[in-house]
Amino acid sequence: MTAFTGVFADDASRRAAETALAAATAEQPRAVEPLGRGNRKQTALVRFDDRGPVVLQLCDEQTWLRTESVLLTRLRRETEVPVPPVLAAGVSDEIAFMVTAYVPGTDLHGRFSGLSQGRQRHLSRGFGRYLGQLHDRLRFDGYGPIAVESGALVAQAGDWQRWCAGYGRTAVERLPPAFDPVREASLELVTERPSDSAPPARLFPWDFRPGNAVVADGRITAILDWEAPMAARPALSAAKAEYLVADWYVTDPEPLRRAFVAGYETVREYPDVRPAHRVAAIADSAVDSTGAVTNPRYPELDREEAVAVHREALANLLSSR
């Protein structure tokens, strides 16, 4: 029996967890508790008697955690975006592992809706500034999924028009039947040929939102879950982040959107976000990696109400063209 018995279900995962922990620290764990973060990774919080806790993550898909660990290291070195330091990363029993320091604080997802409008705008401005830094300092020669090649982060797709159209088409086509009233017009918009064939490629953190942030003493202390990053035109990334930051928690998103844009513009000029970018971003946000409709607001809306919010956002964009 190990400290990971009852936390990770199979022997290979437990062996990988032991290898990961040994690579990060010589201290023996006092307690291990599972954390229910993400659909693709197994995550646990490990506590010790004589040092701070760590977060241990395992994933059967080796590319995801390897890429995330390299990205986190670059973010800490090249930006002010608050991310936890990577203490160890590797592969054991064909299972990828990553160990990071634990950043204390409160999950912003459960708090954002209850904050004053001034605090909400302040935090939205912070998210905008951080995205501006990501776009200013992490540049790529291609588009789409990012992987590690010879220690460097490399985007896997070379053709922007093909990748962008495929991204939008996939996002719209996987929407459930409740979205049929807006499906055809959405597909037509997102698959239109972009006017530029090779726009600048920047980091696209597709899940950049309050729900992945930790706050303490009124400030963001960590932004988590950087798995499966992509590279894209900055406008697409901005559209996705806008929707997740400004539209997700409130019924009047414009003040938060203005704050987000203002924060971004403290770093660089805001990109030209077009309706096609917004439609693709909303469609991609409306369904999670398991195919389930996502639930905006907090407390979270039920499925029918969530569908209505996403569908109305798409309908409003389509009608304003």
Side-chain angles (χ1 to χ4, degrees):
M1 179 175 291
T2 75
F4 299 104
T5 300
V7 177
F8 299 115
D10 59 89
D11 290 340
S13 294
R14 288 191 287 271
R15 287 194 299 269
E18 291 169 355
T19 299
L21 197 60
T25 177
E27 296 287 334
Q28 293 301 305
R30 171 172 55 83
V32 181
E33 57 188 88
L35 296 177
R37 176 172 287 126
N39 296 319
R40 300 180 174 116
K41 296 180 290 190
Q42 300 180 76
T43 305
L45 176 64
V46 185
R47 299 186 185 276
F48 306 86
D49 288 325
D50 298 319
R51 60 153 295 152
V54 301
V55 175
L56 190 158
Q57 299 181 66
L58 304 179
C59 186
D60 291 334
E61 175 49 65
Q62 297 178 20
T63 299
W64 289 338
L65 269 190
R66 186 181 182 211
T67 302
E68 186 173 0
S69 67
V70 173
L71 176 59
L72 288 175
T73 301
R74 282 199 62 182
L75 293 181
R76 285 186 63 83
R77 184 175 65 241
E78 300 175 29
T79 77
E80 298 172 4
V81 179
V83 296
V86 177
L87 306 178
V91 176
S92 174
D93 282 81
E94 298 188 351
I95 297 174
F97 65 78
M98 181 172 70
V99 182
T100 61
Y102 170 71
V103 179
T106 304
D107 182 354
L108 185 56
H109 174 61
R111 295 193 58 194
F112 193 82
S113 296
L115 296 174
S116 69
Q117 293 180 356
R119 292 305 301 168
Q120 289 178 343
R121 290 195 298 271
H122 175 76
L123 292 170
S124 296
R125 183 182 177 91
F127 274 104
R129 181 167 63 89
Y130 291 143
L131 185 67
Q133 290 186 12
L134 297 178
H135 287 173
D136 187 58
R137 298 167 196 178
L138 281 88
R139 307 181 178 199
F140 297 90
D141 294 328
Y143 312 95
I146 294 170
V148 178
E149 295 183 6
S150 302
L153 297 171
V154 178
Q156 303 298 295
D159 188 305
W160 166 249
Q161 293 179 337
R162 182 179 295 112
W163 183 83
C164 184
Y167 171 85
R169 181 185 298 108
T170 298
V172 173
E173 288 181 344
R174 72 187 186 129
L175 294 172
F179 288 84
D180 284 349
V182 296
R183 190 184 310 278
E184 183 176 350
S186 296
L187 271 175
E188 180 181 345
L189 185 60
V190 299
T191 55
E192 284 182 354
R193 186 178 181 86
S195 58
D196 45 0
S197 60
R202 300 291 188 267
L203 183 69
F204 178 10
W206 57 272
D207 209 15
F208 192 71
R209 59 188 177 92
N212 279 332
V214 175
V215 292
D217 299 324
R219 63 185 182 88
I220 298 173
T221 54
I223 299 177
L224 309 174
D225 289 346
W226 295 83
E227 68 177 39
M230 295 184 284
R233 179 179 181 152
L236 179 60
S237 181
K240 184 79 181 289
E242 267 191 44
Y243 189 66
L244 296 177
V245 173
D247 295 75
W248 202 261
Y249 294 94
V250 299
T251 55
D252 179 15
E254 288 308 314
L256 299 187
R257 183 172 288 111
R258 288 194 296 270
F260 181 87
V261 172
Y264 188 101
E265 289 182 334
T266 64
V267 181
R268 68 196 302 268
E269 182 180 357
Y270 202 72
D272 178 20
V273 181
R274 301 171 186 172
H277 304 138
R278 297 193 188 281
V279 168
I282 293 169
D284 192 46
S285 303
V287 178
D288 69 15
S289 61
T290 69
V293 174
T294 55
N295 306 93
R297 310 287 188 264
Y298 191 87
E300 296 172 354
L301 301 177
D302 63 26
R303 186 184 187 279
E304 184 176 348
E305 294 169 324
V307 167
V309 167
H310 297 310
R311 190 173 56 204
E312 182 179 3
L314 290 170
N316 289 341
L317 273 172
L318 295 169
S319 66
S320 65
R321 289 183 61 196

